[in-house]
Amino acid sequence: MLKTNNISGGLLLDCSAKIGVICTRFNSFIVDHLETGCIDMLQRSSSAEIDVDILKVPGAYELPVVAKKMVVSNSYDAIIALGAVIRGATPHFEQVAGACSNGLSRVATDSGVPVIFGVLTVDTIEQAIERAGTKAGNKGAEAAATAIEMINLMRQV
Ligand code: INI
Protein backbone atom coordinates (compact mmCIF):
# COMPACT_ATOMS: atom_id res chain seq x y z
CA MET A 1 0.00 0.00 0.00
CA LEU A 2 1.28 3.44 -0.89
CA LYS A 3 0.72 6.35 1.46
CA THR A 4 1.77 9.77 0.20
CA ASN A 5 2.01 12.84 2.40
CA ASN A 6 1.99 16.09 0.51
CA ILE A 7 3.63 18.71 2.68
CA SER A 8 3.74 22.35 1.65
CA GLY A 9 3.58 25.65 3.43
CA GLY A 10 0.54 27.87 3.04
CA LEU A 11 0.75 31.57 2.35
CA LEU A 12 -1.09 32.59 5.52
CA LEU A 13 0.61 32.52 8.89
CA ASP A 14 -1.84 31.64 11.62
CA CYS A 15 0.49 31.16 14.57
CA SER A 16 2.98 33.57 16.05
CA ALA A 17 6.47 33.94 14.60
CA LYS A 18 9.58 36.04 14.91
CA ILE A 19 11.21 37.26 11.70
CA GLY A 20 14.41 39.19 11.17
CA VAL A 21 14.58 41.58 8.21
CA ILE A 22 18.08 42.78 7.29
CA CYS A 23 18.28 45.72 4.88
CA THR A 24 21.29 47.30 3.24
CA ARG A 25 21.86 51.04 3.41
CA PHE A 26 23.72 50.80 0.07
CA ASN A 27 21.24 51.68 -2.69
CA SER A 28 18.74 52.69 0.00
CA PHE A 29 16.71 54.52 -2.65
CA ILE A 30 15.76 51.04 -3.93
CA VAL A 31 16.03 48.99 -0.75
CA ASP A 32 13.66 51.25 1.21
CA HIS A 33 10.94 50.21 -1.27
CA LEU A 34 11.82 46.53 -0.83
CA GLU A 35 11.49 47.00 2.93
CA THR A 36 8.09 48.67 2.56
CA GLY A 37 6.84 45.89 0.27
CA CYS A 38 8.18 43.25 2.65
CA ILE A 39 6.56 44.66 5.79
CA ASP A 40 3.28 45.25 3.97
CA MET A 41 3.21 41.63 2.75
CA LEU A 42 4.07 40.27 6.21
CA GLN A 43 1.19 42.25 7.68
CA ARG A 44 -1.27 41.10 5.02
CA SER A 45 -0.18 37.44 5.24
CA SER A 46 -0.71 36.97 8.92
CA SER A 47 -3.68 36.41 11.14
CA ALA A 48 -1.38 35.91 14.15
CA GLU A 49 1.21 38.08 15.82
CA ILE A 50 4.48 38.45 13.91
CA ASP A 51 7.35 40.04 15.77
CA VAL A 52 9.68 41.68 13.24
CA ASP A 53 13.18 42.97 13.98
CA ILE A 54 14.53 45.25 11.23
CA LEU A 55 18.30 45.61 11.06
CA LYS A 56 20.38 47.83 8.76
CA VAL A 57 23.79 46.85 7.38
CA PRO A 58 26.18 48.88 5.19
CA GLY A 59 25.99 46.73 2.04
CA ALA A 60 25.07 43.37 0.56
CA TYR A 61 28.49 41.98 1.45
CA GLU A 62 27.63 42.38 5.14
CA LEU A 63 24.27 40.56 4.97
CA PRO A 64 25.58 37.00 5.60
CA VAL A 65 27.52 37.75 8.79
CA VAL A 66 24.54 39.46 10.38
CA ALA A 67 22.20 36.70 9.21
CA LYS A 68 24.52 34.18 10.82
CA LYS A 69 24.59 36.05 14.13
CA MET A 70 20.81 36.15 14.09
CA VAL A 71 20.28 32.45 13.39
CA VAL A 72 22.84 31.50 16.03
CA SER A 73 20.74 33.39 18.58
CA ASN A 74 18.01 30.80 18.00
CA SER A 75 15.39 33.54 18.21
CA TYR A 76 14.14 33.68 14.64
CA ASP A 77 11.82 31.51 12.57
CA ALA A 78 13.14 33.09 9.36
CA ILE A 79 15.49 35.79 8.17
CA ILE A 80 14.77 38.00 5.15
CA ALA A 81 17.77 39.69 3.53
CA LEU A 82 17.00 42.73 1.38
CA GLY A 83 19.45 44.60 -0.82
CA ALA A 84 20.34 45.68 -4.33
CA VAL A 85 23.59 44.97 -6.14
CA ILE A 86 23.69 46.93 -9.38
CA ARG A 87 26.30 46.01 -11.98
CA GLY A 88 26.43 49.47 -13.49
CA ALA A 89 27.44 50.88 -10.12
CA THR A 90 30.37 48.63 -9.34
CA PRO A 91 33.34 47.02 -11.05
CA HIS A 92 33.28 44.26 -8.39
CA PHE A 93 29.63 43.29 -8.92
CA GLU A 94 30.46 39.58 -9.17
CA GLN A 95 32.38 39.55 -5.88
CA VAL A 96 29.71 41.43 -3.92
CA ALA A 97 26.74 39.56 -5.43
CA GLY A 98 28.49 36.18 -5.23
CA ALA A 99 29.68 36.58 -1.64
CA CYS A 100 26.22 37.74 -0.60
CA SER A 101 24.34 34.95 -2.34
CA ASN A 102 26.76 32.16 -1.34
CA GLY A 103 27.03 33.46 2.21
CA LEU A 104 23.27 33.66 2.77
CA SER A 105 22.73 30.24 1.26
CA ARG A 106 25.37 28.77 3.54
CA VAL A 107 23.85 30.34 6.65
CA ALA A 108 20.51 28.79 5.78
CA THR A 109 21.79 25.31 5.01
CA ASP A 110 24.19 25.23 7.98
CA SER A 111 21.55 26.38 10.47
CA GLY A 112 18.29 24.97 9.12
CA VAL A 113 16.70 28.40 9.50
CA PRO A 114 15.23 29.78 6.26
CA VAL A 115 17.20 32.77 5.00
CA ILE A 116 15.26 34.39 2.20
CA PHE A 117 17.18 35.98 -0.67
CA GLY A 118 15.51 39.32 -1.30
CA VAL A 119 18.55 40.86 -2.93
CA LEU A 120 18.23 42.33 -6.41
CA THR A 121 21.21 41.52 -8.64
CA VAL A 122 20.66 43.57 -11.76
CA ASP A 123 22.54 45.33 -14.54
CA THR A 124 20.96 48.77 -14.27
CA ILE A 125 19.17 51.08 -11.86
CA GLU A 126 16.14 50.91 -14.18
CA GLN A 127 15.94 47.13 -13.68
CA ALA A 128 16.19 47.64 -9.93
CA ILE A 129 13.35 50.19 -9.97
CA GLU A 130 11.20 47.77 -11.99
CA ARG A 131 11.61 45.15 -9.24
CA ALA A 132 11.13 47.53 -6.31
CA GLY A 133 7.42 48.15 -6.60
CA THR A 134 6.85 49.09 -10.23
CA LYS A 135 6.22 47.01 -13.34
CA ALA A 136 8.03 43.83 -12.30
CA GLY A 137 6.54 43.62 -8.80
CA ASN A 138 8.34 44.03 -5.52
CA LYS A 139 11.14 41.64 -4.56
CA GLY A 140 10.70 42.56 -0.89
CA ALA A 141 7.04 41.49 -0.96
CA GLU A 142 7.99 38.25 -2.74
CA ALA A 143 10.63 37.59 -0.10
CA ALA A 144 8.05 38.09 2.67
CA ALA A 145 5.63 35.64 1.02
CA THR A 146 8.47 33.12 0.68
CA ALA A 147 9.35 33.54 4.36
CA ILE A 148 5.74 32.83 5.42
CA GLU A 149 5.59 29.75 3.21
CA MET A 150 8.91 28.47 4.56
CA ILE A 151 7.95 29.03 8.21
CA ASN A 152 4.75 27.06 7.65
CA LEU A 153 6.63 24.34 5.80
CA MET A 154 9.45 24.02 8.36
CA ARG A 155 6.92 23.57 11.14
CA GLN A 156 5.58 20.49 9.39
CA VAL A 157 8.87 18.80 8.53
N1 INI B 1 26.81 46.95 -1.84
C1 INI B 1 25.54 46.77 -2.24
O1 INI B 1 24.68 46.38 -1.42
N2 INI B 1 25.18 47.01 -3.53
C2 INI B 1 26.08 47.43 -4.46
O2 INI B 1 25.69 47.63 -5.64
C3 INI B 1 27.42 47.64 -4.04
N3 INI B 1 28.39 48.16 -4.97
O3 INI B 1 28.00 48.74 -6.00
O4 INI B 1 29.59 48.09 -4.75
C4 INI B 1 27.77 47.38 -2.71
N4 INI B 1 29.04 47.56 -2.29
C5 INI B 1 29.39 47.63 -0.90
C6 INI B 1 29.64 46.25 -0.28
O5 INI B 1 28.43 45.54 -0.14
C7 INI B 1 30.27 46.38 1.09
O6 INI B 1 29.41 47.11 1.94
C8 INI B 1 31.64 47.06 1.07
O7 INI B 1 32.48 46.45 0.13
C9 INI B 1 32.31 46.94 2.47
O8 INI B 1 32.52 45.58 2.84
Side-chain angles (χ1 to χ4, degrees):
M1 189 169 76
L2 174 72
K3 182 171 177 286
T4 57
N5 300 304
N6 295 312
I7 300 172
S8 65
L11 293 176
L12 181 71
L13 192 69
D14 57 9
C15 50
S16 62
K18 181 153 181 176
I19 296 176
V21 179
I22 322 173
C23 308
T24 64
R25 280 187 283 100
F26 207 105
N27 289 326
S28 61
F29 171 78
I30 299 293
V31 181
D32 286 352
H33 291 281
L34 302 182
E35 181 185 339
T36 302
C38 175
I39 299 303
D40 178 58
M41 181 61 84
L42 289 178
Q43 201 157 30
R44 288 190 291 120
S45 305
S46 171
S47 60
E49 187 169 314
I50 310 188
D51 188 6
V52 183
D53 286 345
I54 302 173
L55 289 83
K56 302 279 171 164
V57 296
Y61 195 82
E62 283 70 41
L63 287 166
V65 69
V66 177
K68 178 164 186 183
K69 181 101 181 171
M70 293 172 85
V71 302
V72 164
S73 76
N74 254 330
S75 307
Y76 296 93
D77 296 289
I79 305 294
I80 300 171
L82 301 177
V85 190
I86 302 173
R87 190 186 296 271
T90 174
H92 56 284
F93 172 91
E94 259 84 25
Q95 285 93 328
V96 173
C100 172
S101 154
N102 293 334
L104 291 174
S105 164
R106 181 157 189 183
V107 172
T109 49
D110 285 356
S111 67
V113 177
V115 179
I116 313 304
F117 189 69
V119 180
L120 297 172
T121 53
V122 292
D123 288 330
T124 64
I125 288 178
E126 288 71 23
Q127 289 174 347
I129 292 170
E130 283 173 10
R131 292 157 178 75
T134 60
K135 66 183 185 186
N138 185 311
K139 180 93 172 166
E142 281 172 30
T146 304
I148 300 288
E149 183 174 349
M150 287 301 292
I151 291 169
N152 282 329
L153 177 62
M154 296 303 264
R155 286 180 179 171
Q156 296 174 70
V157 175

